[in-house]
Amino acid sequence: MDNGRIADRNLALTATLTGGAWAAALPLANLKADRRFLSAPARQTTPANLGASQFEAALSLARSIDLVALLFHTFSLTAKYRLTIAPPGGSFAAPAYSTGWRAVYERVFDSLNLDWSDPNWWTGQASDEEDIALYARHLWIALPTPVLAGAVRVEIDDAQNPAGFFDVGGLWIALTWAPRINFERGRRPEIQPRDQSEEAPAGRLFPDERTPRRRHVLTWKRLSDAEAQRLFDAGARARTSRTVLVLPDTSDSGVMIREAFPAVFDPPPTPTYRVSGLNEVEAGFKEIIA
Protein backbone atom coordinates (compact mmCIF):
# COMPACT_ATOMS: atom_id res chain seq x y z
CA MET A 1 0.00 0.00 0.00
CA ASP A 2 1.28 3.44 -0.96
CA ASN A 3 0.97 6.18 1.63
CA GLY A 4 -2.11 8.32 1.08
CA ARG A 5 -1.39 11.57 -0.73
CA ILE A 6 -3.04 14.94 -1.00
CA ALA A 7 -2.53 17.80 -3.47
CA ASP A 8 -3.55 21.36 -2.70
CA ARG A 9 -1.51 23.24 -5.34
CA ASN A 10 -2.46 22.92 -9.00
CA LEU A 11 0.45 23.96 -11.23
CA ALA A 12 -1.81 23.76 -14.29
CA LEU A 13 -3.57 26.97 -13.25
CA THR A 14 -0.48 29.02 -14.12
CA ALA A 15 0.62 26.90 -17.09
CA THR A 16 0.23 27.86 -20.76
CA LEU A 17 -2.01 25.40 -22.63
CA THR A 18 -1.54 24.82 -26.36
CA GLY A 19 -1.90 22.12 -28.99
CA GLY A 20 -4.57 19.92 -30.50
CA ALA A 21 -7.82 21.16 -32.01
CA TRP A 22 -10.59 21.72 -29.48
CA ALA A 23 -14.17 22.95 -29.85
CA ALA A 24 -14.44 26.72 -30.18
CA ALA A 25 -17.34 26.88 -27.72
CA LEU A 26 -15.60 24.58 -25.22
CA PRO A 27 -11.90 25.40 -25.69
CA LEU A 28 -8.73 23.96 -24.20
CA ALA A 29 -8.53 26.88 -21.76
CA ASN A 30 -11.55 25.42 -19.94
CA LEU A 31 -9.20 22.84 -18.39
CA LYS A 32 -8.22 25.62 -15.98
CA ALA A 33 -11.85 26.47 -15.01
CA ASP A 34 -11.70 24.53 -11.76
CA ARG A 35 -15.10 25.66 -10.46
CA ARG A 36 -17.06 24.48 -13.54
CA PHE A 37 -15.83 20.97 -14.23
CA LEU A 38 -19.06 19.72 -15.81
CA SER A 39 -20.61 22.90 -17.16
CA ALA A 40 -17.45 24.16 -18.89
CA PRO A 41 -15.23 21.26 -19.98
CA ALA A 42 -12.78 21.21 -22.87
CA ARG A 43 -14.38 19.26 -25.73
CA GLN A 44 -12.59 17.21 -28.39
CA THR A 45 -14.86 16.73 -31.41
CA THR A 46 -12.48 14.67 -33.58
CA PRO A 47 -11.24 11.92 -31.25
CA ALA A 48 -10.10 9.75 -34.17
CA ASN A 49 -7.50 12.41 -35.05
CA LEU A 50 -4.51 11.88 -32.75
CA GLY A 51 -3.03 15.21 -33.76
CA ALA A 52 -6.16 16.98 -32.57
CA SER A 53 -6.67 14.89 -29.42
CA GLN A 54 -3.71 16.19 -27.48
CA PHE A 55 -2.46 19.25 -25.62
CA GLU A 56 0.68 20.62 -24.03
CA ALA A 57 1.03 22.50 -20.75
CA ALA A 58 4.14 24.63 -20.35
CA LEU A 59 4.75 25.33 -16.66
CA SER A 60 5.41 28.92 -15.58
CA LEU A 61 8.49 27.66 -13.73
CA ALA A 62 10.32 24.34 -13.84
CA ARG A 63 8.88 22.23 -11.04
CA SER A 64 9.08 18.69 -9.74
CA ILE A 65 5.81 16.84 -10.34
CA ASP A 66 4.52 13.35 -9.58
CA LEU A 67 0.88 13.58 -10.66
CA VAL A 68 -1.06 14.57 -13.76
CA ALA A 69 -4.84 14.18 -13.52
CA LEU A 70 -7.66 14.64 -16.02
CA LEU A 71 -10.84 15.21 -14.03
CA PHE A 72 -14.44 14.51 -15.07
CA HIS A 73 -13.57 13.01 -18.46
CA THR A 74 -15.87 11.05 -20.76
CA PHE A 75 -13.35 8.67 -22.34
CA SER A 76 -14.75 5.36 -23.59
CA LEU A 77 -13.76 1.91 -22.35
CA THR A 78 -11.25 1.47 -25.19
CA ALA A 79 -9.48 4.81 -24.71
CA LYS A 80 -5.70 5.06 -24.29
CA TYR A 81 -3.41 7.86 -23.20
CA ARG A 82 0.25 8.80 -23.33
CA LEU A 83 1.95 11.30 -21.01
CA THR A 84 5.27 12.83 -22.01
CA ILE A 85 7.28 15.21 -19.82
CA ALA A 86 9.84 17.59 -21.29
CA PRO A 87 12.74 18.62 -19.02
CA PRO A 88 13.38 22.31 -18.30
CA GLY A 89 14.82 23.91 -21.44
CA GLY A 90 14.42 20.61 -23.30
CA SER A 91 11.91 19.16 -25.73
CA PHE A 92 9.44 16.32 -26.01
CA ALA A 93 11.79 14.65 -28.51
CA ALA A 94 14.15 13.89 -25.61
CA PRO A 95 11.70 13.52 -22.72
CA ALA A 96 12.50 13.31 -19.04
CA TYR A 97 9.68 10.77 -18.71
CA SER A 98 7.10 9.02 -20.87
CA THR A 99 4.41 6.53 -19.94
CA GLY A 100 4.06 5.05 -23.42
CA TRP A 101 0.52 4.24 -24.52
CA ARG A 102 -1.61 2.92 -21.66
CA ALA A 103 -5.27 2.04 -21.16
CA VAL A 104 -7.31 4.74 -19.45
CA TYR A 105 -9.27 2.08 -17.55
CA GLU A 106 -6.91 -0.23 -15.69
CA ARG A 107 -7.68 -3.55 -14.02
CA VAL A 108 -10.02 -3.05 -11.06
CA PHE A 109 -11.23 -6.63 -10.52
CA ASP A 110 -9.29 -9.80 -9.80
CA SER A 111 -10.27 -12.48 -12.33
CA LEU A 112 -10.81 -14.95 -9.47
CA ASN A 113 -13.59 -12.69 -8.17
CA LEU A 114 -15.42 -12.69 -11.51
CA ASP A 115 -17.53 -15.33 -13.18
CA TRP A 116 -15.81 -17.17 -16.05
CA SER A 117 -18.55 -16.00 -18.41
CA ASP A 118 -18.02 -12.32 -17.61
CA PRO A 119 -16.73 -10.42 -20.66
CA ASN A 120 -14.03 -8.75 -18.53
CA TRP A 121 -12.72 -11.97 -16.97
CA TRP A 122 -9.35 -11.70 -18.75
CA THR A 123 -8.76 -7.97 -18.42
CA GLY A 124 -10.32 -7.22 -15.03
CA GLN A 125 -11.42 -3.84 -16.41
CA ALA A 126 -14.84 -2.29 -16.04
CA SER A 127 -17.13 -4.32 -18.27
CA ASP A 128 -19.49 -1.64 -19.56
CA GLU A 129 -20.67 1.93 -19.25
CA GLU A 130 -22.79 0.97 -16.25
CA ASP A 131 -19.68 -0.01 -14.29
CA ILE A 132 -17.72 3.14 -15.05
CA ALA A 133 -20.74 5.36 -14.40
CA LEU A 134 -20.78 4.37 -10.70
CA TYR A 135 -18.21 7.07 -9.92
CA ALA A 136 -17.06 10.29 -11.54
CA ARG A 137 -14.45 9.51 -14.19
CA HIS A 138 -10.97 10.75 -13.34
CA LEU A 139 -7.70 9.71 -14.97
CA TRP A 140 -4.94 9.61 -12.35
CA ILE A 141 -1.42 9.44 -13.82
CA ALA A 142 0.81 8.98 -10.77
CA LEU A 143 4.55 8.92 -11.49
CA PRO A 144 6.76 6.43 -9.60
CA THR A 145 9.10 9.26 -8.50
CA PRO A 146 9.01 13.05 -8.88
CA VAL A 147 10.25 14.37 -12.23
CA LEU A 148 11.62 17.87 -12.85
CA ALA A 149 9.36 19.19 -15.60
CA GLY A 150 9.31 22.16 -17.92
CA ALA A 151 6.22 21.06 -19.83
CA VAL A 152 3.89 18.08 -20.17
CA ARG A 153 2.09 16.65 -23.18
CA VAL A 154 -1.03 14.49 -22.93
CA GLU A 155 -2.23 12.50 -25.94
CA ILE A 156 -5.57 10.69 -26.04
CA ASP A 157 -6.54 7.88 -28.43
CA ASP A 158 -10.32 7.46 -28.16
CA ALA A 159 -11.26 6.86 -31.79
CA GLN A 160 -14.08 4.46 -30.86
CA ASN A 161 -15.89 6.78 -28.46
CA PRO A 162 -19.57 6.09 -29.25
CA ALA A 163 -20.50 9.73 -28.62
CA GLY A 164 -18.17 10.91 -31.38
CA PHE A 165 -16.48 13.32 -28.96
CA PHE A 166 -15.07 13.43 -25.45
CA ASP A 167 -14.89 16.03 -22.69
CA VAL A 168 -12.26 16.74 -20.05
CA GLY A 169 -13.50 18.80 -17.13
CA GLY A 170 -10.21 19.84 -15.54
CA LEU A 171 -6.44 19.41 -15.51
CA TRP A 172 -4.25 18.99 -12.45
CA ILE A 173 -0.46 18.97 -12.45
CA ALA A 174 0.98 18.61 -8.98
CA LEU A 175 3.68 17.48 -6.63
CA THR A 176 1.62 15.55 -4.13
CA TRP A 177 2.35 15.39 -0.42
CA ALA A 178 2.45 12.36 1.85
CA PRO A 179 3.74 12.01 5.41
CA ARG A 180 6.46 9.56 6.37
CA ILE A 181 3.91 7.40 8.23
CA ASN A 182 0.50 6.82 6.63
CA PHE A 183 -2.89 7.79 8.00
CA GLU A 184 -4.45 5.48 10.57
CA ARG A 185 -5.78 2.11 9.49
CA GLY A 186 -9.54 1.65 9.50
CA ARG A 187 -10.50 4.43 7.11
CA ARG A 188 -14.23 4.49 6.33
CA PRO A 189 -15.00 5.91 2.88
CA GLU A 190 -18.57 7.14 2.81
CA ILE A 191 -21.16 7.56 0.09
CA GLN A 192 -23.56 10.29 1.20
CA PRO A 193 -26.99 10.02 -0.51
CA ARG A 194 -28.50 13.19 -1.96
CA ASP A 195 -31.78 11.68 -3.20
CA GLN A 196 -35.01 13.35 -2.22
CA SER A 197 -38.36 11.63 -2.05
CA GLU A 198 -42.03 12.61 -1.74
CA GLU A 199 -44.58 10.19 -0.36
CA ALA A 200 -48.16 10.01 -1.59
CA PRO A 201 -51.03 9.46 0.91
CA ALA A 202 -51.21 5.85 -0.23
CA GLY A 203 -47.54 5.35 0.63
CA ARG A 204 -46.12 5.38 -2.88
CA LEU A 205 -42.70 7.04 -3.06
CA PHE A 206 -41.75 9.51 -5.78
CA PRO A 207 -37.97 9.70 -5.67
CA ASP A 208 -35.82 12.42 -7.19
CA GLU A 209 -32.49 10.66 -7.72
CA ARG A 210 -29.38 12.79 -7.37
CA THR A 211 -25.71 11.96 -7.70
CA PRO A 212 -24.38 10.85 -4.30
CA ARG A 213 -21.27 12.38 -2.78
CA ARG A 214 -18.23 10.56 -1.43
CA ARG A 215 -16.44 11.58 1.73
CA HIS A 216 -13.30 10.72 3.69
CA VAL A 217 -12.32 11.57 7.24
CA LEU A 218 -8.62 10.75 7.64
CA THR A 219 -6.52 10.82 10.78
CA TRP A 220 -2.74 10.92 10.96
CA LYS A 221 -1.23 10.13 14.40
CA ARG A 222 2.54 9.98 13.99
CA LEU A 223 3.38 13.31 12.42
CA SER A 224 6.44 15.45 12.94
CA ASP A 225 5.93 19.13 13.71
CA ALA A 226 6.77 19.99 10.09
CA GLU A 227 4.24 17.44 8.74
CA ALA A 228 1.45 18.71 11.00
CA GLN A 229 2.26 22.27 9.98
CA ARG A 230 2.19 21.28 6.30
CA LEU A 231 -1.35 19.95 6.67
CA PHE A 232 -2.40 23.02 8.66
CA ASP A 233 -1.02 25.21 5.84
CA ALA A 234 -3.03 23.17 3.32
CA GLY A 235 -6.19 24.04 5.23
CA ALA A 236 -5.27 27.73 5.26
CA ARG A 237 -4.59 27.62 1.52
CA ALA A 238 -7.63 25.64 0.37
CA ARG A 239 -10.07 26.81 3.09
CA THR A 240 -13.40 25.02 2.58
CA SER A 241 -14.07 26.18 -0.98
CA ARG A 242 -10.96 25.50 -3.05
CA THR A 243 -10.20 22.20 -4.72
CA VAL A 244 -7.84 19.65 -3.20
CA LEU A 245 -7.16 16.09 -4.32
CA VAL A 246 -7.28 13.11 -1.95
CA LEU A 247 -5.53 9.94 -3.15
CA PRO A 248 -5.72 7.13 -0.56
CA ASP A 249 -3.49 4.63 -2.39
CA THR A 250 -2.03 5.36 -5.84
CA SER A 251 -0.63 1.83 -6.09
CA ASP A 252 -4.11 0.25 -6.19
CA SER A 253 -6.27 1.09 -9.21
CA GLY A 254 -9.35 -0.35 -7.50
CA VAL A 255 -8.93 2.02 -4.56
CA MET A 256 -8.25 4.96 -6.86
CA ILE A 257 -11.40 4.54 -8.95
CA ARG A 258 -13.55 4.19 -5.83
CA GLU A 259 -11.89 6.47 -3.28
CA ALA A 260 -9.77 9.14 -5.03
CA PHE A 261 -11.56 12.35 -5.94
CA PRO A 262 -11.36 16.15 -6.08
CA ALA A 263 -12.70 17.58 -2.84
CA VAL A 264 -12.99 20.49 -0.49
CA PHE A 265 -11.91 20.31 3.12
CA ASP A 266 -14.81 19.66 5.51
CA PRO A 267 -13.46 20.35 8.09
CA PRO A 268 -9.93 21.60 7.33
CA PRO A 269 -6.96 19.79 8.89
CA THR A 270 -6.95 20.25 12.66
CA PRO A 271 -3.68 19.45 14.43
CA THR A 272 -3.16 18.28 17.99
CA TYR A 273 0.45 18.91 18.95
CA ARG A 274 1.97 16.51 21.45
CA VAL A 275 5.62 15.94 20.60
CA SER A 276 7.29 15.86 17.20
CA GLY A 277 6.68 12.39 15.79
CA LEU A 278 3.46 11.87 17.76
CA ASN A 279 1.35 14.79 16.57
CA GLU A 280 -2.18 14.10 15.33
CA VAL A 281 -4.15 15.72 12.51
CA GLU A 282 -7.71 14.96 11.38
CA ALA A 283 -9.20 16.28 8.14
CA GLY A 284 -12.45 15.77 6.24
CA PHE A 285 -12.64 15.61 2.45
CA LYS A 286 -16.02 16.28 0.78
CA GLU A 287 -16.22 15.27 -2.89
CA ILE A 288 -16.78 17.85 -5.63
CA ILE A 289 -19.36 16.31 -7.94
CA ALA A 290 -19.88 19.06 -10.55
Side-chain angles (χ1 to χ4, degrees):
M1 179 177 179
D2 188 17
N3 279 6
R5 309 188 198 182
I6 68 166
D8 59 313
R9 297 176 179 172
N10 184 6
L11 302 178
L13 296 180
T14 56
T16 301
L17 304 183
T18 58
W22 300 77
L26 297 170
L28 185 63
N30 281 5
L31 292 182
K32 297 162 72 170
D34 67 346
R35 293 182 185 272
R36 297 187 300 159
F37 291 117
L38 293 183
S39 63
R43 176 162 294 178
Q44 175 50 247
T45 58
T46 55
N49 182 347
L50 291 182
S53 302
Q54 63 173 285
F55 66 86
E56 297 174 5
L59 302 182
S60 58
L61 294 171
R63 297 291 296 269
S64 290
I65 65 172
D66 62 5
L67 178 75
V68 176
L70 303 184
L71 305 180
F72 295 95
H73 66 74
T74 60
F75 304 143
S76 71
L77 283 168
T78 59
K80 298 179 181 180
Y81 74 90
R82 178 167 64 182
L83 169 68
T84 308
I85 300 177
S91 70
F92 293 107
Y97 180 82
S98 177
T99 61
W101 285 102
R102 295 182 181 177
V104 167
Y105 298 97
E106 300 179 284
R107 174 182 286 274
V108 292
F109 302 110
D110 191 314
S111 295
L112 294 178
N113 294 329
L114 298 173
D115 188 82
W116 170 254
S117 63
D118 288 338
N120 59 334
W121 191 90
W122 291 101
T123 66
Q125 295 174 294
S127 61
D128 53 32
E129 289 288 329
E130 183 175 318
D131 278 350
I132 63 176
L134 286 175
Y135 308 104
R137 305 185 199 184
H138 308 305
L139 173 58
W140 308 106
I141 311 173
L143 312 186
T145 57
V147 175
L148 186 61
V152 304
R153 174 191 287 163
V154 178
E155 300 167 271
I156 303 296
D157 180 358
D158 196 12
Q160 299 180 50
N161 194 307
F165 66 89
F166 65 74
D167 291 342
V168 180
L171 169 67
W172 265 72
I173 302 172
L175 179 65
T176 60
W177 179 85
R180 184 176 61 88
I181 297 178
N182 204 12
F183 52 75
E184 290 293 286
R185 290 185 177 274
R187 73 182 189 276
R188 296 177 61 188
E190 299 178 48
I191 295 179
Q192 296 182 329
R194 298 176 58 250
D195 301 337
Q196 295 188 355
S197 183
E198 296 289 339
E199 183 173 352
R204 180 180 174 184
L205 297 178
F206 295 87
D208 176 14
E209 293 191 352
R210 302 183 180 186
T211 302
R213 171 177 279 117
R214 290 174 286 180
R215 178 177 169 82
H216 279 299
V217 176
L218 300 180
T219 302
W220 296 265
K221 286 192 174 180
R222 291 179 173 269
L223 299 179
S224 67
D225 287 347
E227 289 172 328
Q229 290 162 357
R230 171 65 179 85
L231 281 167
F232 191 58
D233 289 348
R237 181 177 298 109
R239 308 175 186 182
T240 58
S241 59
R242 299 175 183 174
T243 305
V244 296
L245 304 181
V246 55
L247 315 166
D249 184 1
T250 57
S251 68
D252 188 323
S253 59
V255 169
M256 291 296 287
I257 196 171
R258 296 177 176 91
E259 298 184 39
F261 47 79
V264 295
F265 283 130
D266 180 34
T270 303
T272 300
Y273 290 102
R274 294 188 171 90
V275 63
S276 189
L278 292 176
N279 297 319
E280 179 177 333
V281 172
E282 182 174 282
F285 298 86
K286 182 169 69 173
E287 183 183 15
I288 295 171
I289 59 177

